[in-house]
Amino acid sequence: LSAVKIFRFNSKNMHLNHSLFTFIVLSPLAAAQVTIDDRTCGTAPAQQDYRGTLATTPSGRVCQYWTNQSPHAHSRLPENYPDKGLGHHNYCRNPDGEPNGPWCYTQDSAKRWEYCDVPDCGTVTNPTLPASAGEGEPVTSEEIAEMYTKTNGWCQNAASGDNIDMVYKDDTYTSDADGPSTCSNICSPFVDAPGYVGMQWRDVARGARCICFFDDGYVPTELLAGSVAQTGKTSVGPITGSGDATHYCYAYKGYMGAEGTERRSIYSDNASLDDYINFEVYGADLQVANVEKEYDQNQNHAEKTAPVFLNHTTIMTTGNTWSSYLLPETVDIHKDSVLQFSFMLEEDTVDGFQAVCLDEDREETGPNGKCFVLRSSQGWVSHMVNVPTQTNLDELSYHSIPVGEFFNGPVNYLVLIQDSDGQDRSLGRSSISDLKLISLENDLLEIEIDDVMDYLKNDQFSYTRDIGDAQDETDFWMSLSEDHTAVQMNGNQWKALPLNEPYYVTHSTVLELDIVVGQSVDFHAICLDFDLVATGDECIVVQSPIDYLDNFHHMTTKLETGVAKRLVIPFGSFIGLGGGDSVEVKYIAFVQDNDNTAKHDGRSTWSNLRLYDSERHNIKFSFFGETVEIPNIQYALSNNANDDQDSRDHIMSVPADGNTIVASGNSWKYVILPSTFTVTPATTLKFTFELFEETELHAICLLDSTHIKDSRNDCFFTAGVQDHDTSQGMKVSPYTEVGQEHTYEINVGSYFTGDVMYLGFIVDNDVGFTTGDVEKVYGQSSWSNIEIDSLPSLDIGLGSDTVAVENAQISYKSSSEDNTPIRDYMASISEDSSSINLVGNMWRALELPTPLSPTELGDFVVSFDFTLDEAGDIHGICFDENLSYGNADSPQNSESRRCVSTAYFHDKSDVLDVLLSDFQTRQSESHRYVLNLSKMFDKLYVNESGDPTPAPTPPPNLVHVGNNGSPGSAFPLKVCQGDCDNDNECSAGLECFQRGGFEMVPGCAGAGRSGSDYCYDPLRKETNIKYIAFINDNGADSSVGDSTYGNIAITTSLSSCLSGEDFDFQLSDCTIKKFLGEVEATMSNKADCTSTDPLLELFAIFDATQEMDVYSQIEKICTSAYKLDQYDFADNTLAIDDALERQLVKEYIDGGTVMNYEAEANSAVMIGKVNDKFATTRHFSMPKHHALDNCEMGAAMCCFVASRTNPDPADNSDVCYIDMKASRYTAHVRDGWSIYGDSSDDSIYCEGFAWGNDGGIASALKGNALFKVGFMDNFSGGKVEQVPGAPLCGCMDRMPVVTNAACTDVTDPTSVVDVHFDSAVGMFDASFTVGEITYGDCGGLNLVEHYESLVGVGKASAVDAAYMHKRVVGEVGCGVAINDFLSTKGLVMG
C-alpha cells in the first residue's frame, strides 16, 4: 500500500444532508505528500521510542511501507519486531536499535535504506518559569478567551478534597486594567505543562498579585525572582477586595464543570497512568485513560465484554458495547477538524453497527457531538452519519472524517459503539487504532489554470444530467486532500465546484489529471460546464463498463481499477471546437455514477488537475509552390457520414518546425486547408511516410467531406495489415514496413478529380490492435514534408512564346503498348519544366493546351536536347493530330508518320513507322536535334486529295450509356460511348479504349466515369497537331530504357539575321563547336539578331532539314580548307618508282610488299625523304584504304610482329583475338576468328594515334600520324609484318584486340583557318594557313589514356572511350575479352 492522504470537505453553500469522507489508498504518486509532524521527537541516543509520522529521509527519498517487500525485500516486519512501532505505514522507526536513530527502507530501488532526521526530545522536567515572564507583548482579551474560561467561583473545587499548588508574584502591574494580560503572560509558559489549572489576578489595591495554579505536586522547581510557591493548599476561596472581578478564576480550558471533576479524579496523577491509548490532538499526544463509562443510557447489556486497550494505540471491542472515554482535557472541534484512525472488522454483528463518536457529554442526543457509522449490518442508521464506504469483514480501513463539517464546539468524550442487537449480543469484534485529530487550515482544491496555481473553494453543488433529474446522492460529499491537490468520491456522486473566474475553452484546451478508480461503478466522468446541467458535450467519460453512453464523449484510454493513471484530455477537441470558437465554463464537475441499490459503492480519487491551452504548433506544408501554415486545429474524421471512428484523446503531435505530423493510437483526424482547391489530372501529393508501429490501416487523404467512404478514392493507404475498402481509397506502392521510411509522390489526379477542402490522416486501430490494447494506443506513423502541387508542366517554346503543356499523361498508340497504369509509371518532368525523362517502356503523350494548325506551326522547325542513359529498342519524339501511331505499311488508309527516331537498336526495316533522323544517339550520349518537320511530315498541310486542310471539328464528349450489353438498344456503342468491355461492343471501325482512372480517351472530350472504358475511332483524323508524344520502347523488358528530352522549342518562322551581309572570322581549329561559337559571337555583335542560336542561324542559311545537314556543311567548309594544303605521300612520293607500283602503300598496309619482307630497308629509303621534306610542313592525306576508311571513333593503330634489324625486338603487347569478319578485306575471308589466349609475353608491338570525332586540325593531321607510326617507324626502327588476318594499320574496330598500345600525337598549334561568308551567293568559303607541325608521345600516356583525355576536352565521347577499353584491354584483360567474344558465338573458353 502507498501513502495515505488526508481529505476533508466543506458544507458551505451546499443544501445537503449529512455526509462524510473515509479513507483512500493513493498511488505512489501521492506518497511524497504525507504530512510530517515536526513536533514529535525521540529520546536519545537511539530514539527507539519515536512514534511520529516522519516518512522522508534527509535526501528527500520517500520511505517504503514496513509491510511491503518492494522495492526492497526485508525481515523488519511488525510480527518479527513487536512493540517497536512497526505497522502498515512508512514512518521512520528504529526497531533494531541502530545507534544513530530511526531509519527506513526507501522507495528508491537504487537506495536500500537511509537514516531519518528525528528531533531529540531531551529529558522532560517540570517547567521553569522564565526570567522574562510577564515582559512580553500585552495579551488581548480575545487571546485570553482562547485559553481560559472565566468562572464565578473557585479555581479548585473545595468539594473534591484535592490539594492544589500555586506560584504567585506581587506588584506585577500598576493599573487594574493590565491585570488579566499581565498575569496571562506570567502564567503562559505553563499552559501546556502537566497539572496546570488556571490563573487569577488581584487588583492593585490587593497587591497586584498574579497567581498560577497547579495540581498537587506539579509546581515548578525554579521560579522567577520575587515569586513565591505554595503547595498543599486544600482550596483557594474567593478573594475579598474592592472589585468582584478579582473573585473570578480564569480556569485553563478542560478543567472545569462536571467533566472537570471527573477528569481530576481520573487524571490526578499522570505519572502513574499506564492503561491508556495515545490520541494525537492537533499535534500533541493526549493519553486517554481506560476508564469506561456507558454511552447513551441502557444501551449496554449485562454480560458485555469491556473493550481492551492494546499497545497504547488500539481499542479492541467485542460484542454489544456502547463505551465512552473521558479525554484528559476538553477539545474544541473546529470547522476544519478531521478525525483520523484505522478500523479493523474481525467479526460482524447481527442487526447492528460499529461507530465512533466525539461528544460533549455521554448522551447521543446531547447538544454537541456526532457519531459516524463505519459498518452496519442493519442498513442505514438514520440518526448518525453513515460513512459512504462501509468496511468489509477482515478488512483494515483507513478513515479521515471531517468531523468539523458536522458540528463545532467542545468535546470531552471519545465514544466507541459496537451495537449488536441480534439474538447473540456477544457477536461482533472490531478495533480502532492510531487515533488522530488534525486541523486543515485551508479548505481548497488546487488546480493549475494556464500555468498559474488557483485554489477552488470546496463549495460543492449537485450536478445533474437533465433539469429535474436528481442524479446526485446528497448524503455523500467529495472530500479534499490535506495537501489540497486531490478530491475523493465515495458512492454515487455528481458534484460540481465553481471556478473562481469563468474559463473559455478553445480547440486547444487540455484538462490534465491523475485518477485512480478504487471501485468501479456505472461510469466515471469529468465535466467543464457553464451551468449545473450536463447536456452531453461538457462531459468526458473516463471509465465505464458500458461501451457508449449517449450524449457523452468517451476516452479510449481505459482505466484499470486500482491503478493510477495520468489522463491528458484534449477537451476542446472532444467537444469539436474549431479555430476561433470558444465556450465559457463556470464549473468543474466530477461524476461517479452508481444507479444500483448499493449507493455506497464506487470510489475514485482525482488529483493534480491542470487546465490550460496547449501549445500546438502550426502545420506547415508546400501548397502549389508556396509554404503555408494552417492552425493545428484537429477535427474528428469518420468512415461513414454518421459514425464516430476517431479516438479523440489521441491528438496528433507537430514539432516546432511544423513539417511533421505524428499520429499515435487510433487516430482519425483532419485539418482544414487554407483554401479549397481543385484536383486536376496533374495534381500531385508528395510526402515522406515513416512507420513506427503498424496497425490496421495508415493513410493520408485529400477530402471534400468529413468522412472518407464516398467512392472517390481520395485516401491513399501506405501501410497496414488490413485490406482497405476500395470505397475508402487506394493502396499505393510500395507499402511501408515497420522501421521503414518512404517518400511518396502520388499523381492523385489519376485517381480522382474535384474539390478538396480537408487534409486527413488515419492510423486505424478501432478494435485494440494488440492483445490488451484496450486503450487503442498502439500504432504510430508520421507524415512529413507534405507537398500539394501540380506535376510540373512541360514548357515548349512556340515562336517567341512559351507554352506550358499540362502534365496529364496519356498512352500513345495504345494502352497495351504503354506501361500502365500510368500513375505507377509516370514520365518525370523536371522541376524547371524544361525536360521530360522516360524510364522503362513508355509510349506517352501530352495534350497541347491549344491544337496547333499548320498555319500556326509555320516553318515547324523543332529543336530539342536528347540524352540516352540506357538504350531500349526505339526512342523518338512525335507531334500528332491524334493518339494513333503512324503506319508506313499502308500509307493511304492509315495514319501518317508523325514520329522521328532519336535512337534505334533494330534493323532499319523494323522501324518504318517512324522517320529515322540522320543522327541516332548512342547509349550514354547526348545530342541536340533540330528537325524541320514541315519537310519531314507528309499529309500535314494538305489532305489526302491534295486540298487544303479543313477546319477541325470539336471532339464529342464521353457518355456512359450502359454496361455489359445493357440496355440492348445502346449496343453496339458509338464513338465516345461507354462502358465497353471489348472491341465487339463497339460499332464497326471503333475500338474499346481500356483506360485507368480518368485517363483521356483519344478523340473524345470530358472525363467520363472513373474506370469506365469507351469506344473510340483509332483512325479519327485530327487536322491540327494536338499532342506531343515520346517513345521509350522496349518490348523484351519493360523496365529497360532511360531517355530525356529537354529544351523543346518549335520555331514557327525560321530566318537568318546574318545572311544579308558579308562577315568573316578566324579559327585556330576548324571544328563544328568552334565554328558555331564564332557564328554566335558574330550574332551577338549584330543588333538585328534577336536570337543568338548559331545552329538555327546556320539551319536557316543552309535551308537544312536536320541539324546533321548543318554539321555536314561545316565539316565540308573545314575539310575544304585543310584539303587545299594536303599532301598525298602515298601516291606522290612513295609510288613514283615503277618497280613499287602505285599499290605499294595499300599492299603495305595489308602486310605485303618488299617493305615488310626484305632484310634491308633499301626499298624504304623514300620514307625518310618524305619525312625530311614534308612531315613538319605539310598535312598528309590519309591513304584511301579499306582498313582506314570511316574510323568513326577517331582512332587507329598499327601492330608489328617482327623487326628487320633486331631479332629480339622491344615488344609492348600481346594479341587476345582477331575477328576476321571486321578485317575481311585484309584476311581475304568472309568470316572467321583467331584466339591467341591469355598470355603475357609481349609478343608484338602496337602503337596508335587518335584525333577524336569533332573534326578540326587533329583530324586534318591524322595522315601525318599514320605516316609517323606506320611508315617512319618502319624506316627508323625496322618494325615489319602484321598480325595474320589483320591489317598492319587500321581503324580500331579492324585491328586485333590487344593488351597495350603506345601513343603518338601530332599537333599544329599555330595554324589558322580564315572563314568568309559571301552574302551575294549565300555561301561560306575558308582558307588554311599551316603552322609548325610537331610530333609527340601523347605526354607519356598510352593510347587508351590519351583517348580518355580527348573525352575530357569534348573531342571524343565516353561511349567511344568505353569501346576503346574493349579493344585495348590491359595486361590481364585478355581472358575476359576472349570470353565475351566467344559468348557471341555461343562458346565458352575451356
Side-chain angles (χ1 to χ4, degrees):
L1 294 175
S2 302
V4 177
K5 275 193 177 180
I6 311 302
F7 289 84
R8 64 179 304 204
F9 62 85
N10 192 325
S11 60
K12 184 179 180 182
N13 295 331
M14 293 190 67
H15 307 287
L16 308 174
N17 295 329
H18 298 304
S19 91
L20 61 99
F21 167 70
T22 185
F23 85 101
I24 177 61
V25 178
L26 292 182
S27 69
L29 178 66
Q33 300 167 347
V34 174
T35 302
I36 297 175
D37 183 1
D38 59 3
R39 291 173 293 178
T40 305
C41 55
T43 304
Q47 298 182 319
Q48 284 190 276
D49 59 344
Y50 174 66
R51 296 297 183 268
T53 58
L54 179 64
T56 55
T57 67
S59 68
R61 291 181 172 89
V62 179
C63 294
Q64 174 182 316
Y65 272 64
W66 293 101
T67 52
N68 282 2
Q69 293 293 317
S70 177
H72 304 291
H74 63 93
S75 61
R76 304 308 195 265
L77 299 172
E79 56 268 28
N80 296 339
Y81 291 82
D83 302 324
K84 298 299 183 181
L86 303 184
H88 187 69
H89 59 72
N90 66 336
Y91 305 144
C92 298
R93 294 291 185 265
N94 191 2
D96 51 2
E98 284 289 336
N100 292 326
W103 57 277
C104 70
Y105 296 105
T106 79
Q107 292 188 23
D108 183 352
S109 60
K111 185 69 175 176
R112 181 170 175 81
W113 68 278
E114 284 186 327
Y115 284 109
C116 302
D117 189 8
V118 173
D120 189 356
C121 295
T123 302
V124 180
T125 61
N126 285 338
T128 301
L129 188 65
S132 60
E135 299 176 4
E137 293 293 327
V139 180
T140 65
S141 58
E142 290 80 4
E143 291 172 326
I144 294 174
E146 285 291 324
M147 294 186 293
Y148 298 97
T149 299
K150 184 179 178 181
T151 61
N152 186 8
W154 310 87
C155 277
Q156 178 72 8
N157 191 341
S160 69
D162 293 335
N163 292 336
I164 191 169
D165 296 344
M166 65 180 183
V167 174
Y168 66 87
K169 184 178 180 180
D170 293 331
D171 301 320
T172 55
Y173 47 86
T174 58
S175 170
D176 289 346
D178 295 332
S181 61
T182 302
C183 292
S184 179
N185 270 341
I186 288 176
C187 295
S188 62
F190 307 112
V191 295
D192 290 326
Y196 180 68
V197 176
M199 64 94 178
Q200 191 179 58
W201 66 277
R202 297 181 181 178
D203 56 21
V204 174
R206 295 291 181 261
R209 174 177 292 184
C210 288
I211 307 173
C212 306
F213 295 105
F214 301 87
D215 279 330
D216 188 26
Y218 282 90
V219 67
T221 57
E222 296 182 17
L223 305 177
L224 182 68
S227 63
V228 178
Q230 290 187 357
T231 61
K233 300 284 290 183
T234 57
S235 65
V236 178
I239 304 301
T240 59
S242 60
D244 289 341
T246 61
H247 294 216
Y248 289 93
C249 174
Y250 288 84
Y252 190 56
K253 287 191 175 181
Y255 289 85
M256 58 184 180
E259 288 75 24
T261 302
E262 181 183 350
R263 185 171 288 118
R264 292 191 177 281
S265 173
I266 296 173
Y267 300 103
S268 61
D269 188 356
N270 285 343
S272 63
L273 189 63
D274 55 7
D275 193 8
Y276 65 89
I277 61 164
N278 280 319
F279 183 8
E280 183 183 321
V281 176
Y282 304 134
D285 283 340
L286 297 184
Q287 296 179 349
V288 181
N290 187 3
V291 180
E292 179 195 7
K293 299 287 185 179
E294 184 179 24
Y295 183 67
D296 204 27
Q297 298 175 10
N298 302 318
Q299 291 290 345
N300 287 328
H301 70 105
E303 294 81 18
K304 85 173 187 68
T305 301
V308 178
F309 282 26
L310 302 173
N311 300 322
H312 308 306
T313 61
T314 303
I315 304 176
M316 174 72 75
T317 305
T318 303
N320 183 84
T321 179
W322 290 55
S323 302
S324 68
Y325 300 92
L326 181 66
L327 301 177
E329 61 185 55
T330 301
V331 175
D332 277 340
I333 301 300
H334 308 292
K335 192 70 174 176
D336 56 4
S337 296
V338 175
L339 178 64
Q340 297 178 330
F341 55 89
S342 301
F343 175 66
M344 179 71 182
L345 179 66
E346 298 182 19
E347 183 181 68
D348 211 352
T349 63
V350 175
D351 292 332
F353 61 90
Q354 284 87 5
V356 62
C357 317
L358 291 175
D359 208 336
E360 187 178 16
D361 53 27
R362 292 198 297 268
E363 295 294 329
E364 183 196 352
T365 58
N368 203 55
K370 187 64 68 177
C371 292
F372 303 92
V373 178
L374 310 177
R375 166 73 178 181
S376 174
S377 58
Q378 68 180 32
W380 195 270
V381 182
S382 59
H383 54 284
M384 297 182 180
V385 176
N386 292 261
V387 171
T389 302
Q390 300 285 288
T391 303
N392 295 320
L393 190 64
D394 294 325
E395 179 181 87
L396 179 67
S397 58
Y398 300 87
H399 294 261
S400 192
I401 302 174
V403 292
E405 301 294 346
F406 296 94
F407 73 97
N408 301 133
V411 295
N412 293 300
Y413 294 94
L414 170 68
V415 179
L416 300 179
I417 299 175
Q418 184 163 269
D419 184 66
S420 183
D421 292 337
Q423 185 173 2
D424 185 355
R425 303 193 73 186
S426 68
L427 291 178
R429 185 166 63 253
S430 61
S431 61
I432 284 182
S433 305
D434 301 321
L435 283 156
K436 183 187 294 186
L437 187 68
I438 66 171
S439 176
L440 294 179
E441 298 178 356
N442 296 315
D443 196 26
L444 303 169
L445 174 63
E446 183 178 276
I447 178 172
E448 184 180 314
I449 299 179
D450 290 336
D451 299 323
V452 177
M453 198 60 71
D454 200 3
Y455 296 88
L456 307 183
K457 293 180 180 179
N458 190 9
D459 297 338
Q460 301 181 28
F461 293 86
S462 286
Y463 191 57
T464 186
R465 191 165 184 173
D466 298 300
I467 296 176
D469 179 14
Q471 291 286 342
D472 185 40
E473 183 62 55
T474 56
D475 280 348
F476 305 150
W477 286 7
M478 296 189 305
S479 299
L480 272 63
S481 67
E482 184 180 42
D483 63 1
H484 318 298
T485 63
V487 297
Q488 188 182 53
M489 308 179 78
N490 289 274
N492 180 73
Q493 294 193 59
W494 289 55
K495 295 293 193 298
L497 297 178
L499 301 176
N500 293 328
E501 298 289 340
Y503 189 85
Y504 292 90
V505 175
T506 70
H507 73 277
S508 60
T509 296
V510 173
L511 178 60
E512 250 185 82
L513 55 96
D514 292 320
I515 181 171
V516 57
V517 175
Q519 184 182 22
S520 300
V521 283
D522 291 345
F523 68 90
H524 299 79
I526 191 164
C527 316
L528 293 173
D529 207 335
F530 178 79
D531 53 27
L532 296 172
V533 179
T535 59
D537 245 3
E538 308 90 342
C539 295
I540 312 296
V541 176
V542 298
Q543 189 194 53
S544 172
I546 305 171
D547 287 339
Y548 190 79
L549 295 172
D550 291 338
N551 301 324
F552 275 48
H553 298 295
H554 287 249
M555 293 278 288
T556 55
T557 300
K558 301 298 183 183
L559 300 180
E560 183 179 347
T561 301
V563 178
K565 189 82 172 181
R566 183 70 176 172
L567 297 183
V568 180
I569 305 172
F571 205 91
S573 296
F574 259 106
I575 65 177
L577 294 181
D581 296 340
S582 64
V583 173
E584 182 183 5
V585 296
K586 294 182 177 180
Y587 299 91
I588 182 168
F590 304 87
V591 176
Q592 182 168 277
D593 185 70
N594 179 11
D595 291 335
N596 297 319
T597 343
K599 298 287 188 179
H600 294 96
D601 289 345
R603 184 174 69 251
S604 59
T605 305
W606 315 66
S607 59
N608 302 314
L609 283 83
R610 291 186 66 207
L611 181 62
Y612 59 93
D613 272 359
S614 63
E615 181 183 6
R616 292 193 191 172
H617 301 293
N618 287 345
I619 299 171
K620 294 181 182 178
F621 62 97
S622 178
F623 191 59
F624 296 102
E626 299 290 334
T627 299
V628 298
E629 290 190 33
I630 59 174
N632 186 357
I633 304 172
Q634 301 175 26
Y635 299 88
L637 179 63
S638 59
N639 188 20
N640 295 298
N642 298 313
D643 66 12
D644 193 4
Q645 192 76 32
D646 181 45
S647 298
R648 301 192 187 186
D649 43 338
H650 299 154
I651 294 297
M652 301 186 300
S653 63
V654 178
D657 64 9
N659 292 325
T660 302
I661 296 169
V662 180
S664 301
N666 184 66
S667 182
W668 288 58
K669 299 287 192 298
Y670 73 87
V671 295
I672 301 175
L673 293 173
S675 61
T676 299
F677 73 95
T678 301
V679 170
T680 69
T683 301
T684 61
L685 174 64
K686 184 177 180 181
F687 57 90
T688 298
F689 176 76
E690 188 169 3
L691 181 63
F692 304 103
E693 295 175 346
E694 186 175 29
T695 57
E696 294 158 281
L697 294 172
H698 300 254
I700 186 172
C701 309
L702 297 175
L703 304 162
D704 64 343
S705 65
T706 59
H707 63 278
I708 70 169
K709 203 166 185 178
D710 55 5
S711 301
R712 197 172 83 152
N713 293 333
D714 51 11
C715 284
F716 303 98
F717 297 91
T718 51
V721 299
Q722 175 181 301
D723 289 336
H724 69 279
D725 187 335
T726 54
S727 64
Q728 296 173 313
M730 299 299 295
K731 178 179 178 179
V732 294
S733 297
Y735 238 31
T736 303
E737 302 293 334
V738 172
Q740 290 183 343
E741 177 182 283
H742 281 128
T743 296
Y744 293 89
E745 185 166 8
I746 303 171
N747 178 204
V748 295
S750 68
Y751 292 95
F752 76 96
T753 58
D755 289 344
V756 171
M757 294 176 280
Y758 314 110
L759 183 60
F761 303 91
I762 297 174
V763 173
D764 183 51
N765 177 9
D766 54 5
V767 294
F769 185 70
T770 61
T771 302
D773 184 25
V774 294
E775 301 180 11
K776 303 179 184 178
V777 298
Y778 190 82
Q780 187 179 72
S781 53
S782 70
W783 297 262
S784 58
N785 304 316
I786 298 172
E787 300 177 22
I788 297 173
D789 211 338
S790 291
L791 290 169
S793 58
L794 181 63
D795 286 349
I796 296 178
L798 183 63
S800 59
D801 298 324
T802 299
V803 175
V805 181
E806 184 183 26
N807 193 350
Q809 300 179 28
I810 316 165
S811 288
Y812 184 61
K813 186 179 180 182
S814 70
S815 57
S816 61
E817 192 77 36
D818 191 18
N819 269 351
T820 57
I822 290 176
R823 58 176 164 260
D824 293 338
Y825 301 94
M826 293 289 290
S828 176
I829 296 178
S830 63
E831 290 298 323
D832 64 1
S833 300
S834 66
S835 65
I836 182 170
N837 173 245
L838 298 91
V839 177
N841 186 70
M842 288 188 183
W843 291 68
R844 205 55 55 82
L846 301 173
E847 185 173 3
L848 300 174
T850 304
L852 298 175
S853 68
T855 303
E856 292 170 313
L857 290 169
D859 290 325
F860 201 6
V861 175
V862 175
S863 59
F864 59 91
D865 298 323
F866 177 72
T867 299
L868 183 62
D869 290 315
E870 183 181 45
D873 291 339
I874 305 171
H875 303 268
I877 188 170
C878 315
F879 290 84
D880 210 333
E881 300 97 329
N882 52 44
L883 296 172
S884 296
Y885 184 50
N887 188 340
D889 296 330
S890 182
Q892 296 301 317
N893 299 317
S894 60
E895 293 296 308
S896 299
R897 291 181 294 180
R898 292 290 182 257
C899 298
V900 181
S901 70
T902 52
Y904 66 90
F905 299 90
H906 286 292
D907 290 337
K908 186 175 180 180
S909 60
D910 293 337
V911 289
L912 293 178
D913 293 341
V914 298
L915 299 167
L916 297 178
S917 65
D918 292 341
F919 183 88
Q920 297 298 308
T921 305
R922 295 177 298 178
Q923 182 168 294
S924 302
E925 283 189 342
S926 297
H927 184 73
R928 186 185 182 204
Y929 289 85
V930 181
L931 307 172
N932 190 328
L933 298 185
S934 66
K935 295 181 180 181
M936 299 177 68
F937 284 177
D938 57 357
K939 302 180 185 178
L940 179 64
Y941 294 92
V942 295
N943 61 20
E944 293 170 359
S945 302
D947 299 326
T949 302
T953 57
N957 288 316
L958 294 173
V959 180
H960 186 92
V961 298
N963 190 22
N964 294 326
S966 177
S969 59
F971 286 80
L973 300 171
K974 299 179 179 57
V975 68
C976 300
Q977 290 184 348
D979 178 11
C980 61
D981 296 319
N982 50 62
D983 294 346
N984 295 330
E985 293 186 348
C986 299
S987 299
L990 303 183
E991 296 178 3
C992 184
F993 185 82
Q994 305 286 339
R995 68 173 189 164
F998 290 95
E999 186 179 355
M1000 296 188 66
V1001 178
C1004 302
R1009 289 189 181 182
S1010 174
S1012 291
D1013 304 320
Y1014 294 84
C1015 296
Y1016 79 109
D1017 181 1
L1019 303 180
R1020 172 182 168 86
K1021 293 294 182 182
E1022 302 289 350
T1023 307
N1024 298 341
I1025 297 297
K1026 290 184 62 178
Y1027 303 97
I1028 179 172
F1030 305 92
I1031 301 172
N1032 199 68
D1033 178 73
N1034 197 68
D1037 184 349
S1038 62
S1039 67
V1040 172
D1042 186 341
S1043 59
T1044 302
Y1045 299 80
N1047 302 313
I1048 304 170
I1050 300 173
T1051 301
T1052 57
S1053 178
L1054 183 65
S1055 61
S1056 168
C1057 65
L1058 296 179
S1059 60
E1061 298 178 7
D1062 293 359
F1063 59 91
D1064 302 275
F1065 52 83
Q1066 189 177 80
L1067 299 170
S1068 61
D1069 192 0
C1070 196
T1071 64
I1072 293 173
K1073 181 177 180 181
K1074 290 191 174 182
F1075 195 100
L1076 290 172
E1078 288 299 326
V1079 172
E1080 182 178 8
T1082 304
M1083 295 173 69
S1084 299
N1085 294 326
K1086 186 171 175 57
D1088 294 343
C1089 293
T1090 57
S1091 169
T1092 57
D1093 188 333
L1095 184 55
L1096 285 178
E1097 174 65 26
L1098 296 178
F1099 204 89
I1101 290 176
F1102 296 142
D1103 191 21
T1105 300
Q1106 299 186 36
E1107 80 292 338
M1108 296 307 295
D1109 298 337
V1110 175
Y1111 299 154
S1112 178
Q1113 288 292 332
I1114 295 173
E1115 287 177 346
K1116 288 179 181 179
I1117 295 168
C1118 293
T1119 300
S1120 66
Y1122 290 129
K1123 193 171 184 179
L1124 292 174
D1125 187 62
Q1126 279 185 347
Y1127 177 75
D1128 186 352
F1129 71 90
D1131 287 344
N1132 294 342
T1133 303
L1134 300 184
I1136 60 174
D1137 189 336
D1138 291 340
L1140 298 178
E1141 301 178 346
R1142 298 189 64 83
Q1143 292 293 320
L1144 173 71
V1145 172
K1146 297 179 181 179
E1147 290 298 325
Y1148 169 73
I1149 292 173
D1150 276 335
T1153 78
V1154 294
M1155 286 195 296
N1156 270 308
Y1157 301 133
E1158 66 183 0
E1160 302 296 333
N1162 298 330
S1163 60
V1165 293
M1166 292 301 293
I1167 295 175
K1169 293 180 180 181
V1170 172
N1171 181 70
D1172 294 340
K1173 188 173 183 179
F1174 301 111
T1176 60
T1177 59
R1178 298 292 298 274
H1179 288 188
F1180 292 172
S1181 59
M1182 194 74 118
K1184 298 294 184 183
H1185 191 276
H1186 59 80
L1188 296 167
D1189 291 341
N1190 300 316
C1191 293
E1192 292 183 357
M1193 66 178 296
M1197 181 172 67
C1198 301
C1199 289
F1200 306 91
V1201 300
S1203 173
R1204 67 161 60 90
T1205 60
N1206 187 353
D1208 186 18
D1211 296 329
N1212 67 349
S1213 187
D1214 289 302
V1215 181
C1216 300
Y1217 70 88
I1218 300 170
D1219 183 3
M1220 296 180 189
K1221 185 177 182 179
S1223 59
R1224 57 186 177 275
Y1225 297 113
T1226 299
H1228 302 292
V1229 294
R1230 182 175 296 176
D1231 199 356
W1233 35 273
S1234 297
I1235 303 298
Y1236 282 79
D1238 192 9
S1239 64
S1240 58
D1241 55 0
D1242 290 343
S1243 58
I1244 64 171
Y1245 180 85
C1246 295
E1247 186 171 350
F1249 52 96
W1251 59 94
N1253 46 29
D1254 75 334
I1257 190 67
S1259 177
L1261 292 171
K1262 60 182 177 286
N1264 297 64
L1266 174 67
F1267 176 80
K1268 172 68 169 61
V1269 173
F1271 291 84
M1272 187 60 198
D1273 281 356
N1274 171 283
F1275 174 75
S1276 62
K1279 296 180 180 67
V1280 294
E1281 297 185 32
Q1282 92 282 19
V1283 177
L1288 184 69
C1289 299
C1291 301
M1292 293 302 298
D1293 60 310
R1294 274 147 263 186
M1295 294 298 291
V1297 173
V1298 297
T1299 59
N1300 187 35
C1303 181
T1304 289
D1305 62 335
V1306 185
T1307 60
D1308 185 0
T1310 58
S1311 65
V1312 294
V1313 174
D1314 292 295
V1315 180
H1316 172 73
F1317 178 75
D1318 188 342
S1319 62
V1321 295
M1323 294 179 62
F1324 288 93
D1325 61 53
S1327 61
F1328 173 70
T1329 303
V1330 70
E1332 182 178 356
I1333 300 172
T1334 59
Y1335 297 83
D1337 63 352
C1338 302
L1341 302 177
N1342 63 32
L1343 180 59
V1344 175
E1345 293 168 338
H1346 174 62
Y1347 197 87
E1348 287 178 337
S1349 71
L1350 297 181
V1351 175
V1353 295
K1355 292 181 176 293
S1357 72
V1359 174
D1360 289 331
Y1363 181 73
M1364 177 69 79
H1365 277 279
K1366 293 182 178 180
R1367 307 304 298 179
V1368 182
V1369 298
E1371 184 177 353
V1372 296
C1374 268
V1376 174
I1378 292 170
N1379 271 324
D1380 288 346
F1381 174 73
L1382 289 178
S1383 67
T1384 65
K1385 310 298 181 182
L1387 301 172
V1388 176
M1389 184 169 65

